[in-house]
Amino acid sequence: MAMSPRTLGFPVFDADNHLYETPDAFTKFLPPEYAGLIQYVEINGRTKIAVGGLISNYIPNPTFEVVAAPGAQEEYFKSGNPEGKSRREIMGKPIRSLPGFSAPEPRLKLMDEQGIDRALMWPTLASLLEERLRGDPPATHAVVHALNQWMLEHWSFNYEDRIFPTPVIHLGILEKGIEELEWVLDHGAKIILIRPAPVTGYMGPRSIALPEFDPFWKLVVEAGIPVGMHASDSGYQRYMNEWEGVTRGEMTPFKGGSGFMAIVGHMGRPIVDTMASLIGHGLCSRFPDLRFAPVENGSNWVRYLLHEMEQAYTSAPRSFEEDPVEVFKRNIYVHPFHEEDPVGLIELLGADRVLFGSDYPHPEGMADPLSFVDELHSLPTDDVAKIMGGNLNRLMGFDTAA
């Protein structure tokens, strides 16, 4: 597996590393009354996860014993697929999962080999939970808390001041969300993960940026903790299904689809809508000290969204408390994909609001995380240092030194 033989002259803080959950991640601490809510079942010789009695194919191998190699799709995302290879051909030969993919001690050794000083550690399989439990808010809270308990036991929320796993906060029941926030803060969380999507409660789905959620956001500001919004199953498959003419079906990001899906699947609607809500519903103006980091959502959507915000502010200024473009530049930190144009994003937002993240060890990420610095060769060294780690260190409340 390719590793970077070089070292940089500044700390590197990777905003997008992933852990692979062990099979007991959702069940070890799940209350007895929810026994059977999450199950692993054998289907035609393959292990699948079932949530609420429904088998999910969201992740092809939810045990992560065998996985695609880190960076297997890196060239595909950079150069496309001119040869028309199948998805299996692009993925290449799978590998046995390395110990560092699922435990903190070997992960630190792997980070040392890669030249990474610090990393945010996002869950992988957890991104299927909230959508598949959207009709049962109490069960969603129970599973999320069980996951966070497992994460704390298995990884901690701050491992040797270098690895920072991201506990999940669900807000379907506001009081439960506040309890979860207080619990993770009491146990050392340095960042939280909230799905970029409407939240489903007893009264149906609604935006977390509406004023009813302000008691939660007040506590977030008081804690001085950033909010990560990692790409997830945000529930938009139901809209895709309407266009496809199918009545049911879940999001399956590792399967192919129609040309329609190939076009709209990468438009970033979930993160665009989420950012528009955070700003358009006034949350970031009511709490100007909130800081959001949309991670693994790419950045091609940013220019379009800022243009639409500018147009909206010009035509309906009374709908906003302040200029939405300036609010975005104040409250939002963006993590671009490795195959995109980071320099163009920096010109748009400034070097202070851009974060480096490798998506290691996922196949769509980078096999050699430090190679991202090559995309920044035209920038001043100070700006490169900010993007590769300085911005995230400051966002997390650290000095730049790791």
Side-chain angles (χ1 to χ4, degrees):
M1 209 164 296
M3 298 296 171
S4 218
R6 57 184 158 180
T7 57
L8 305 179
F10 41 77
V12 176
F13 198 155
D14 194 324
D16 190 25
N17 263 217
H18 282 270
L19 59 86
Y20 286 143
E21 295 94 329
T22 57
D24 65 344
F26 304 147
T27 59
K28 182 174 182 178
F29 296 99
L30 195 61
E33 60 265 34
Y34 292 104
L37 184 65
I38 308 292
Q39 295 177 299
Y40 285 85
V41 297
E42 295 294 322
I43 303 293
N44 298 324
R46 302 193 67 177
T47 302
K48 296 292 182 180
I49 190 170
V51 182
L54 296 178
I55 294 170
S56 172
N57 290 300
Y58 178 76
I59 298 289
N61 180 12
T63 66
F64 302 114
E65 294 173 351
V66 176
V67 297
Q73 296 176 288
E74 185 173 354
E75 188 58 33
Y76 161 74
F77 281 107
K78 284 185 176 179
S79 305
N81 185 17
E83 298 175 4
K85 292 181 179 179
S86 68
R87 193 164 289 260
R88 183 179 293 273
E89 289 173 321
I90 292 170
M91 285 290 193
K93 185 177 180 180
I95 64 169
R96 302 294 299 182
S97 190
L98 299 181
F101 295 174
S102 56
E105 299 92 340
R107 187 54 165 262
L108 272 188
K109 295 178 182 177
L110 189 53
M111 287 167 57
D112 288 339
E113 294 173 4
Q114 294 172 320
I116 296 174
D117 299 296
R118 286 178 169 143
L120 299 182
M121 202 65 58
W122 308 90
T124 298
L125 190 59
S127 59
L128 64 74
L129 287 176
E130 291 177 84
E131 183 57 26
R132 281 147 195 82
L133 292 170
R134 70 189 307 266
D136 193 339
T140 307
H141 281 283
V143 177
V144 164
H145 185 56
L147 168 66
N148 289 340
Q149 288 175 285
W150 171 87
M151 195 182 300
L152 177 66
E153 178 189 72
H154 204 72
W155 285 83
S156 85
F157 295 145
N158 179 351
Y159 189 79
E160 295 191 6
D161 248 8
R162 294 187 60 192
I163 295 176
F164 304 96
T166 58
V168 178
I169 303 294
H170 178 69
L171 289 168
I173 303 171
L174 177 59
E175 294 77 15
K176 289 285 189 181
I178 289 174
E179 287 177 12
E180 195 69 27
L181 174 65
E182 292 173 337
W183 186 87
V184 302
L185 291 174
D186 287 344
H187 289 84
K190 299 291 291 184
I191 185 171
I192 56 174
L193 167 57
I194 293 181
R195 183 173 72 133
V199 65
T200 301
Y202 291 125
M203 302 300 291
R206 71 271 196 217
S207 171
I208 56 175
L210 295 174
E212 67 190 86
F213 294 98
D214 282 1
F216 172 83
W217 296 115
K218 180 176 182 291
L219 294 177
V220 172
V221 171
E222 289 173 355
I225 194 170
V227 180
M229 289 190 151
H230 194 283
S232 181
D233 183 349
S234 292
Y236 279 58
Q237 189 65 39
R238 68 178 64 89
Y239 310 119
M240 306 287 194
N241 290 346
E242 289 183 0
W243 285 103
E244 293 279 11
V246 298
T247 57
R248 53 189 289 179
E250 65 173 348
M251 178 184 182
T252 51
F254 295 99
K255 290 186 177 181
S258 68
F260 167 77
M261 293 291 288
I263 294 169
V264 304
H266 297 284
M267 284 185 172
R269 286 304 320 185
I271 198 62
V272 167
D273 292 351
T274 301
M275 295 296 107
S277 177
L278 296 180
I279 295 171
H281 283 128
L283 175 64
C284 291
S285 294
R286 296 194 302 274
F287 298 98
D289 292 329
L290 279 173
R291 295 295 180 264
F292 293 93
V295 171
E296 206 179 324
N297 290 279
S299 63
N300 286 340
W301 52 272
V302 174
R303 188 176 299 276
Y304 159 78
L305 179 58
L306 294 187
H307 175 266
E308 293 303 308
M309 286 180 170
E310 182 179 9
Q311 292 295 105
Y313 190 54
T314 298
S315 60
R318 293 185 180 181
S319 296
F320 302 90
E321 294 182 38
E322 49 187 333
D323 185 339
V325 173
E326 295 307 312
V327 175
F328 187 101
K329 293 179 179 181
R330 179 187 67 210
N331 290 75
I332 311 299
Y333 290 71
V334 178
H335 159 230
F337 286 142
H338 61 81
E339 70 270 17
E340 294 176 335
D341 175 21
V343 175
L345 179 66
I346 292 158
E347 292 173 351
L348 189 64
L349 298 181
D352 292 337
R353 289 297 183 269
V354 178
L355 306 175
F356 150 70
S358 67
D359 194 25
Y360 189 90
H362 284 179
E364 64 271 28
M366 307 181 74
D368 174 12
L370 257 61
S371 65
F372 184 79
V373 78
D374 297 333
E375 306 297 324
L376 309 176
H377 64 87
S378 64
L379 299 177
T381 301
D382 287 349
D383 286 351
V384 176
K386 290 178 181 178
I387 295 155
M388 294 299 294
N391 290 338
L392 188 51
N393 270 308
R394 283 185 286 274
L395 183 61
M396 297 282 288
F398 296 122
D399 294 329
T400 53

